[in-house]
Amino acid sequence: MKTAMHVMVFLKKKELQAFEPPFDMSQCVDGDCHDCAEHMHGHSHADTINNSELLVQHCCPEEGANTRETENKKDEEVHMVGCSQPAACNLGISQGEDKSCNDGKDASAAANCQDTDCFASSTDENVTPGHRRAPSLPLDVPPVDVDKVRCIIRNIVRDWAQEGQIERDECYKPILEELNRLFPDRSRPPSCLVPGAGLGRLALEISSLGFVSQGNEFSYYMMICSSFILNHTQEANEWTIYPWIHNNCNSLSDKDQLRAVSFPDIHPSSAGITEGFSMCAGDFVEVYNEESQESAWDAVVTCFFLDTAHNIVEYIEIISKILKDGGIWVNMGPLLYHFADAYGPDDDMSIELSLEDVKRVAYHYGFVMEMEKMIDTTYTANMVSMMQNRYRAAFWTMRKDVSRSKAKKRQ
């Protein structure tokens, strides 16, 4: 069983080589090389693998661009495809500003750790070749980046470990059952977009149902981890992590805090995905507000995504725009608006609507409610913790009404 350290080392070496790293990757052989997400922006990358594995291709945004356009590049190892069409890519990752967890407010600050195996002391003159210190590489990791990594580890449990099956049954299973009911004939695979796809499990499950599924993810932390799981896993339960080791509160026992979790619980390439499964990197608003996306999708699935918006009205408008007439919107999640506590003069805006007002806005943009209910669920919860936070998540199915959509266009 491979350790979590080997997971992180392999992940970072494999993925960061696709970008332009700020230092020579060959100088960090055995340890955990610290990286910064800002260095990754504006670089497209994809991994080419053999036929026995999945192919995850990322369509990455250009830094500073008003629209998220992708570059089609070919060389001996990399083949990039755009994410402007539902079936263009083969696998994928989305969200707004880097709030990888649905509730980032409870993340505690953590002490920064240094890997002494990777970086030799500057006073040590006898540095072995495998332990050379990367020149001018800062060893201090900002606490906010530490919190994001911890959040990713919890999301691994939610999406790709057996321990997360309860949450997946609460959140993903109703969505999958609804799609299965609404699209009984999938001989010609319908297209489905999953904004805020996170680590890609829901998008993969939808693809396994017979949909041309595309996940969209904004967080590079999520993207790197999902690419590793989807593209570089050789077997189920190949990797082991200790996701709760940093949680010192509300533990019933030391054993609970130190327990190991293996992932992934399934081998992704053996999940029976439909051809065309892809992950598209970039901000949802900028990527899918393009003319090429208009009426492109048969279904849109949003799970714990709507409240990541600065402007939820804009999200709903774009969802309506990209759905075909008669298209389906399935939503699951609370309204814990991520930017609600931003009060400074330089903070971005945050529009926070009640659930009732959200449904009114959806009606304004041509949606008709077909089914709705509330579902109790958790998000990246430690199931044996003494404290359990639960959401009463809104679950609904809306359909883009042909006549109402046309009437709105004439106004």
Side-chain angles (χ1 to χ4, degrees):
M1 194 71 77
K2 300 170 186 172
T3 66
M5 177 63 71
H6 291 120
V7 173
M8 296 305 296
V9 172
F10 179 80
L11 184 157
K12 289 185 177 180
K13 288 181 183 177
K14 197 75 176 175
E15 294 301 322
L16 292 180
Q17 287 172 353
F19 302 99
E20 295 177 5
F23 56 90
D24 184 2
M25 294 296 292
S26 65
Q27 293 188 351
C28 188
V29 179
D30 298 323
D32 183 11
C33 300
H34 303 297
D35 62 274
C36 179
E38 286 116 61
H39 296 304
M40 305 181 204
H41 282 279
H43 299 277
S44 298
H45 73 288
D47 290 329
T48 304
I49 56 178
N50 61 46
N51 293 332
S52 66
E53 297 175 312
L54 290 176
L55 174 60
V56 178
Q57 302 203 13
H58 295 78
C59 316
C60 294
E62 224 178 290
E63 185 176 15
N66 292 327
T67 59
R68 303 295 190 183
E69 298 177 354
T70 56
E71 299 177 3
N72 294 328
K73 299 180 180 178
K74 290 185 179 181
D75 56 33
E76 294 180 356
E77 297 181 354
V78 179
H79 173 60
M80 283 302 301
V81 291
C83 57
S84 59
Q85 298 298 330
C89 305
N90 291 47
L91 221 129
I93 313 183
S94 141
Q95 289 210 8
E97 188 152 316
D98 230 341
K99 295 261 184 174
S100 301
C101 279
N102 188 266
D103 184 4
K105 301 181 183 67
D106 62 351
S108 59
N112 297 326
C113 296
Q114 300 178 0
D115 193 335
T116 55
D117 289 333
C118 179
F119 305 115
S121 170
S122 59
T123 60
D124 188 357
E125 297 179 356
N126 300 316
V127 180
T128 60
H131 294 80
R132 290 176 293 178
R133 184 171 65 89
S136 69
L137 180 64
L139 301 183
D140 292 330
V141 179
V144 64
D145 291 332
V146 175
D147 288 339
K148 288 177 182 178
V149 172
R150 291 180 181 177
C151 180
I152 295 300
I153 292 173
R154 294 195 298 270
N155 272 271
I156 290 175
V157 178
R158 171 180 168 87
D159 264 18
W160 293 104
Q162 183 60 41
E163 187 171 314
Q165 188 64 52
I166 295 175
E167 278 194 3
R168 293 197 297 274
D169 286 344
E170 291 173 348
C171 293
Y172 298 169
K173 189 175 180 181
I175 293 172
L176 297 172
E177 290 175 346
E178 194 70 358
L179 289 174
N180 190 54
R181 178 183 71 83
L182 293 166
F183 295 90
D185 181 11
R186 296 187 289 277
S187 55
R188 183 177 180 180
S191 58
C192 181
L193 175 65
V194 186
L199 298 185
R201 181 61 178 265
L202 178 57
L204 180 138
E205 296 285 357
I206 292 172
S207 176
S208 299
L209 278 182
F211 289 78
V212 178
S213 172
Q214 182 175 100
N216 165 242
E217 179 56 51
F218 183 76
S219 167
Y220 280 100
Y221 291 81
M222 291 283 191
M223 287 164 48
I224 292 173
C225 187
S226 67
S227 177
F228 171 75
I229 293 172
L230 294 167
N231 284 329
H232 302 293
T233 300
Q234 303 299 321
E235 60 185 7
N237 296 315
E238 182 176 3
W239 311 101
T240 300
I241 57 175
Y242 299 82
W244 317 113
I245 197 168
H246 298 105
N247 295 1
N248 298 317
C249 300
N250 293 304
S251 295
L252 290 173
S253 68
D254 292 342
K255 182 180 179 180
D256 288 339
Q257 183 181 5
L258 301 175
R259 73 186 185 277
V261 172
S262 299
F263 75 95
D265 63 317
I266 61 171
H267 185 209
S269 65
S270 304
I273 65 169
T274 303
E275 183 179 357
F277 178 39
S278 63
M279 293 288 276
C280 180
D283 178 72
F284 171 69
V285 172
E286 296 186 9
V287 173
Y288 296 96
N289 203 22
E290 296 293 313
E291 186 176 348
S292 62
Q293 291 290 329
E294 188 169 350
S295 300
W297 300 91
D298 295 300
V300 173
V301 169
T302 52
C303 183
F304 278 75
F305 173 71
L306 284 184
D307 55 5
T308 67
H310 288 282
N311 183 352
I312 191 172
V313 176
E314 187 176 35
Y315 270 22
I316 296 171
E317 180 183 11
I318 293 173
I319 292 170
S320 176
K321 176 182 176 180
I322 65 179
L323 276 172
K324 299 175 182 178
D325 285 336
I328 296 297
W329 174 22
V330 180
N331 176 73
M332 163 80 77
L335 294 175
L336 183 66
Y337 293 104
H338 285 200
F339 303 98
D341 295 332
Y343 298 119
D346 297 328
D347 290 322
D348 295 321
M349 73 168 181
S350 176
I351 295 178
E352 299 128 26
L353 303 181
S354 67
L355 179 58
E356 182 179 302
D357 287 337
V358 169
K359 290 187 283 187
R360 284 194 183 120
V361 172
Y363 179 80
H364 173 77
Y365 283 104
F367 285 105
V368 175
M369 184 73 73
E370 293 198 344
M371 180 280 298
E372 65 174 320
K373 62 180 178 180
M374 306 300 287
I375 292 180
D376 289 340
T377 186
T378 58
Y379 191 90
T380 65
N382 180 354
M383 293 302 176
V384 298
S385 171
M386 296 169 65
M387 183 178 73
Q388 299 290 329
N389 293 321
R390 297 192 67 83
Y391 294 96
R392 290 193 66 229
F395 178 55
W396 72 63
T397 297
M398 295 189 189
R399 186 182 296 272
K400 183 178 175 181
D401 184 79
V402 179
S403 59
R404 293 194 66 249
S405 297
K406 289 181 178 179
K408 184 179 181 303
K409 289 178 182 178
R410 288 196 297 266
Q411 292 177 357

